[in-house]
Amino acid sequence: MIKRYTYGKVFKTDSVQSIPAAQIGEIPYVKADAEKLSFTYHMEPDDIVYGLGENVRGINKRGWIYESKCSDESKHLEDRRSLYAAHNFIVVDGRDRFGLFVDYPGILTFDVGYTDLSVLTITASDWNLDVYVIEGNSVIDIIRQFRGLIGRSYIAPRWAFGNGQSRWGYVTADDVREVVKKHRKAGVPLDMVYLDIDYMERFKDFTVNSERFPDFADFVKEMKDQHVRLIPIIDAAVKEEKGYSVYDEGITNGYFCTDKDGKPFVGAVWPGRSLFTDMLNKDARDWFGDQYKALLDQGIEGFWNDMNEPSIFYADDRLADVLEEIAKMREGDQNLDLDAFSHFENLVGSLSANPEDYKKFYHTVNGEKIRHDKVHNLYGYNMTRAAGEAFERLVPDKRVLLFSRASCIGMHRYGGIWQGDNKSYWAHLLMNLKMLPSLNMCGFLYTGADVGGFGSDTTEDLVMRWYALGIFTPLLRNHSEMGTRRQEFYQFNDREGFKAIIKLRYRLLPYLYSEYMKAALRGDMMFRPLAFDHPNDERCRTIEDQLYLGSELMIAPVYEQNAQGRMVYLPERMKMLRFTRNGDIEEKILEKGDHYIKVPLSDVVCFLREGHLLPLAKGGQCVDDVDFVNLSAISFGENAAYEYYHDDGVTKNYEEPEHWCLLQAK
Ligand code: GLC
């Protein structure tokens, strides 16, 4: 049962697909306070608050304050309040059980027991919002209803479930060739290499640097012939440069965001002075989407959209002020005491992502000017929507890979997300795991984190343990920052260990893809906290480092350095599956309860539920190689069966009944 309560004059976010009529009367469960712009709820000590999608901290969000404010946040630390997304959906499970979705484009806080341990307060920036309250007979039921409300999740092409290699630092075609060669030579499967900003002509979207990538279309084909797709990055900001067609057309047609006087707003990102397409304006959005054609025409089949919070390194006028102030300081004795030095630091620090700058530009929606900060969280969503809608027009019958850094609910229909600029920290491996169910709740299914960690120097054991989790996530991509230690598998000693783990991904593909499709088509979660399936098991309500994957598997990765294994709680009898480095699979039935499981670095361990069957392929060097029809299986229990979804992975005829079949234990 979904009820909508509406306050003030609501901006149409298009997060929800079919808007139910607004209720008259008071909202249940929470207390609305128009003066404080807030909703409050008193939590019992045992209540759990799930949700908030991409965020720091736990699966249970209690004990911190989160801000829905899409931010270019490269420090994913516990003290952060927001990352790149605004996912305003929670489920309270305890004395009461209800879901709450705040459909609101502006900045919002969720104080989940931060100010007062037992109080949940949601505070908006103004009083123009829709709140949906969802009741159901289980947490899963509430989430399924919510997913129905927001519409079907984006479905990626099947090849995008292959292994991807990326690094901000592959600058030329030869750099890419080398990556591919090293994978193929070692027999490590590979389906995608990502092109970071250096493939562009001076960071100009939709251009290709012809010195670094001569004959780009031929190169795309050369790679495709080796079953490798190139996935270029697209940034939100458009370089200010006369003669650059994207800039010229945008200016001529008035497609960029403007300042209060109606002049194009200028801020700087990678290319220096740049403009921001008015993604909320349909004409501008269509136009931006059409630009992807330049790359589609050269054979590109997938993209990652970046810096679309939008990230602003500095606004033009602020830089001028700061430089002027620094010039004044220069004239002094250049001897900075504490106060003067702090002033200097603050000046420079105030340039990037300054909240005041987000109040300086405007969108034009149906002829009406809207200040950016009031609709801030819709920007990345609408950039990805621009691309998604364009693909529908340009290549209607084909799936295109698309994922984004910034997002808000609604964007899940157009693309996936990656979890942003994490670091090579063990804590971020665990955070990767914890974010998965929260993201799935909000409709984001095609997701994964930068394996090995993006920022900071990584270590061989961290990369290997991270792969042991990453091979289960739909997006599997090793990505790292320029200047950090290189982290392709071939940089390390135990290449055979990496090979075994990545090869296992390709054996699991029929299962992973089928589970992804089920989750997308039925509005289910691919990854669930244990408590969703065992609501009455007290232990499960606090376990945050094990997850169900589909109905069959439980995963429990090792996320601590030097650990030889870990404790695992089995809420029921399960069969432990150990995939070893020589390709063997050891099976062992374990009783319900606590177990210490040894996990050598190159082993992958997971758990199969009773009555279920895990299909396995033979594997392959790329997804195209994998035989999705002739499968083997591991089963547990008599009459074990698996409902298998299998389609061509390319076209969009998802709903055909012949895609489904029942696999049974022999
Ligand atoms: C941003 C992205 C990162 C990318 C870098 C350079 O930090 O999040 O993935 O490598 O920009 O484009």
Side-chain angles (χ1 to χ4, degrees):
M1 167 89 90
I2 305 184
K3 289 185 176 158
R4 177 169 74 98
Y5 297 83
T6 190
Y7 304 88
K9 187 168 170 271
V10 172
F11 182 88
K12 203 167 161 295
T13 62
D14 292 340
S15 289
V16 165
Q17 279 223 297
S18 48
I19 304 177
Q23 300 287 320
I24 301 164
E26 265 185 35
I27 185 166
Y29 303 109
V30 293
K31 191 174 164 298
D33 186 331
E35 244 160 66
K36 292 191 178 140
L37 309 176
S38 69
F39 298 88
T40 46
Y41 177 75
H42 282 269
M43 301 181 286
E44 292 293 317
D46 294 341
D47 287 358
I48 299 180
V49 179
Y50 294 108
L52 298 181
E54 183 183 69
N55 243 310
V56 296
R57 299 208 171 209
I59 291 176
N60 183 350
K61 302 316 285 187
R62 284 187 72 159
W64 188 240
I65 180 166
Y66 309 87
E67 200 175 22
S68 285
K69 177 183 170 194
C70 297
S71 309
D72 178 356
E73 177 53 81
S74 61
K75 297 189 178 68
H76 302 183
L77 300 170
E78 272 184 42
D79 64 356
R80 298 301 127 136
R81 295 183 177 189
S82 7
L83 296 177
Y84 312 87
H87 297 155
N88 302 335
F89 175 54
I90 55 170
V91 176
V92 175
D93 181 35
R95 180 192 56 214
D96 301 312
R97 191 196 302 124
F98 62 96
L100 200 104
F101 171 54
V102 187
D103 188 2
Y104 179 66
I107 290 150
L108 192 70
T109 57
F110 287 83
D111 178 339
V112 196
Y114 168 76
T115 306
D116 178 335
L117 265 182
S118 59
V119 180
L120 162 70
T121 309
I122 304 168
T123 310
S125 308
D126 60 43
W127 205 236
N128 301 310
L129 35 88
D130 266 335
V131 182
Y132 292 80
V133 178
I134 309 172
E135 290 175 282
N137 48 36
S138 67
V139 175
I140 294 185
D141 177 35
I142 290 171
I143 293 165
R144 204 174 280 142
Q145 291 183 56
F146 175 63
R147 296 276 300 284
L149 181 74
I150 59 174
R152 193 177 70 204
S153 299
Y154 162 75
I155 294 178
R158 195 173 59 194
W159 54 259
F161 290 73
N163 179 33
Q165 182 59 50
S166 184
R167 176 160 173 96
W168 180 9
Y170 301 153
V171 171
T172 63
D174 279 344
D175 292 344
V176 175
R177 284 191 184 102
E178 184 191 320
V179 172
V180 175
K181 203 167 111 203
K182 291 207 157 128
H183 279 78
R184 292 285 178 251
K185 199 163 159 235
V188 172
L190 181 72
D191 270 274
M192 288 157 286
V193 176
Y194 289 77
L195 300 181
D196 209 318
I197 46 176
D198 301 296
Y199 81 88
M200 296 181 204
E201 182 71 48
R202 279 171 297 133
F203 313 122
K204 285 187 286 187
D205 275 342
F206 311 113
T207 66
V208 176
N209 183 313
S210 55
E211 265 167 45
R212 294 170 171 180
F213 291 88
D215 309 314
F216 189 63
D218 289 349
F219 180 57
V220 174
K221 182 167 181 307
E222 175 190 324
M223 289 294 115
K224 182 96 187 281
D225 288 346
Q226 298 179 58
H227 302 277
V228 172
R229 263 105 173 169
L230 298 178
I231 315 296
I233 195 169
I234 302 292
D235 286 308
V238 171
K239 182 174 168 65
E240 181 191 73
E241 185 181 279
K242 285 212 175 78
Y244 163 39
S245 65
V246 183
Y247 170 77
D248 289 343
E249 282 176 31
I251 287 288
T252 309
N253 296 298
Y255 288 152
F256 297 122
C257 291
T258 52
D259 64 15
K260 62 178 186 336
D261 304 320
K263 290 207 275 310
F265 169 80
V266 181
V269 196
W270 305 121
R273 292 168 61 102
S274 304
L275 294 97
F276 298 85
T277 303
D278 185 353
M279 300 292 179
L280 301 190
N281 173 319
K282 185 167 183 320
D283 293 341
R285 191 165 66 231
D286 285 351
W287 165 77
F288 191 84
D290 285 340
Q291 306 304 313
Y292 287 77
K293 189 168 183 301
L295 291 158
L296 290 174
D297 285 350
Q298 301 188 69
I300 291 297
E301 295 171 89
F303 300 88
W304 45 313
N305 281 347
D306 193 22
M307 309 299 274
N308 48 359
E309 295 72 28
S311 178
I312 304 178
F313 293 170
Y314 61 82
D316 216 26
D317 52 354
R318 186 176 302 282
L319 179 71
D321 293 347
V322 167
L323 290 177
E324 198 176 310
E325 183 80 14
I326 290 176
K328 270 191 224 150
M329 294 176 84
R330 209 170 155 227
E331 284 158 20
D333 60 3
Q334 294 187 24
N335 175 7
L336 308 182
D337 66 5
L338 174 64
D339 294 341
F341 186 65
S342 306
H343 177 60
F344 173 75
E345 274 194 321
N346 289 340
L347 270 176
V348 177
S350 71
L351 283 172
S352 242
N354 191 310
E356 291 307 310
D357 293 338
Y358 291 86
K359 296 180 183 162
K360 283 187 191 152
F361 60 101
Y362 293 78
H363 298 270
T364 309
V365 183
N366 302 324
E368 203 187 321
K369 287 251 173 243
I370 297 172
R371 206 174 73 189
H372 174 80
D373 61 309
K374 304 209 177 278
V375 288
H376 174 71
N377 290 328
L378 298 179
Y379 196 84
Y381 161 18
N382 280 280
M383 176 190 178
T384 297
R385 179 181 180 183
E389 287 175 343
F391 302 155
E392 284 294 331
R393 293 191 298 274
L394 300 168
V395 276
D397 300 324
K398 187 172 146 179
R399 303 183 210 173
V400 177
L401 172 60
L402 179 61
F403 59 92
S404 169
R405 194 172 71 177
S407 66
C408 138
I409 291 172
M411 201 203 84
H412 70 287
R413 297 194 297 271
Y414 299 95
I417 60 169
W418 90 100
Q419 297 176 7
D421 295 348
N422 60 7
K423 289 204 192 298
S424 300
Y425 296 166
W426 289 86
H428 285 182
L429 162 52
L430 180 58
M431 190 161 70
N432 179 182
L433 181 80
K434 289 185 184 184
M435 251 191 238
L436 292 168
S438 314
L439 286 172
N440 281 191
M441 284 175 68
C442 298
F444 292 91
L445 298 179
Y446 189 79
T447 184
D450 289 350
V451 167
F454 173 73
S456 306
D457 289 338
T458 199
T459 56
E460 177 167 358
D461 51 349
L462 178 58
V463 181
M464 203 172 278
R465 290 293 195 202
W466 213 317
Y467 267 115
L469 166 63
I471 58 161
F472 291 106
T473 62
L475 166 62
L476 168 62
R477 179 179 77 148
N478 176 331
H479 179 49
S480 56
E481 187 173 12
M482 187 188 275
T484 58
R485 180 180 186 184
R486 304 245 345 203
Q487 62 188 44
E488 298 87 356
F489 80 89
Y490 48 83
Q491 308 292 345
F492 302 113
N493 285 325
D494 187 9
R495 298 179 186 187
E496 289 302 313
F498 285 104
K499 181 168 154 179
I501 298 176
I502 298 169
K503 279 177 80 176
L504 173 59
R505 162 69 162 210
Y506 286 70
R507 298 204 66 192
L508 291 168
L509 275 176
Y511 177 68
L512 295 173
Y513 178 72
S514 168
E515 285 309 303
Y516 177 89
M517 292 303 292
K518 281 185 202 169
L521 297 174
R522 295 172 172 168
D524 275 334
M525 293 166 69
M526 190 167 164
F527 295 96
R528 295 180 310 284
L530 304 192
F532 283 21
D533 291 36
H534 308 277
N536 301 320
D537 183 328
E538 279 307 312
R539 287 289 303 285
C540 287
R541 287 176 72 81
T542 57
I543 290 179
E544 299 213 342
D545 59 357
Q546 305 175 201
L547 294 176
Y548 277 129
L549 192 187
S551 308
E552 287 65 32
L553 291 186
M554 184 178 79
I555 56 170
V558 175
Y559 52 86
E560 281 175 338
Q561 190 157 34
N562 302 321
Q564 309 286 324
R566 55 164 288 175
M567 291 302 300
V568 176
Y569 175 69
L570 303 189
E572 59 191 31
R573 211 159 89 101
M574 289 187 188
K575 185 187 263 189
M576 180 177 81
L577 309 180
R578 175 186 298 280
F579 298 90
T580 67
R581 60 187 291 128
N582 54 18
D584 292 344
I585 308 171
E586 290 167 18
E587 305 175 25
K588 188 176 176 193
I589 294 169
L590 298 176
E591 296 304 321
K592 170 182 159 107
D594 293 297
H595 298 268
Y596 179 76
I597 311 289
K598 265 185 115 43
V599 190
L601 259 185
S602 55
D603 277 11
V604 176
V605 171
C606 62
F607 303 85
L608 179 63
R609 297 175 81 174
E610 194 158 9
H612 290 279
L613 179 150
L614 173 71
L616 284 174
K618 286 197 195 69
Q621 285 298 296
C622 57
V623 177
D624 295 343
D625 254 14
V626 175
D627 183 347
F628 283 82
V629 176
N630 299 301
L631 305 169
S632 62
I634 306 173
S635 59
F636 179 23
E638 280 181 29
N639 305 322
Y642 178 62
E643 191 187 18
Y644 181 48
Y645 179 94
H646 168 59
D647 64 10
D648 64 15
V650 182
T651 61
K652 295 180 178 171
N653 311 318
Y654 311 121
E655 312 279 354
E656 304 297 323
E658 69 257 24
H659 295 336
W660 298 91
C661 71
L662 196 68
L663 303 178
Q664 275 165 316
K666 294 228 173 74

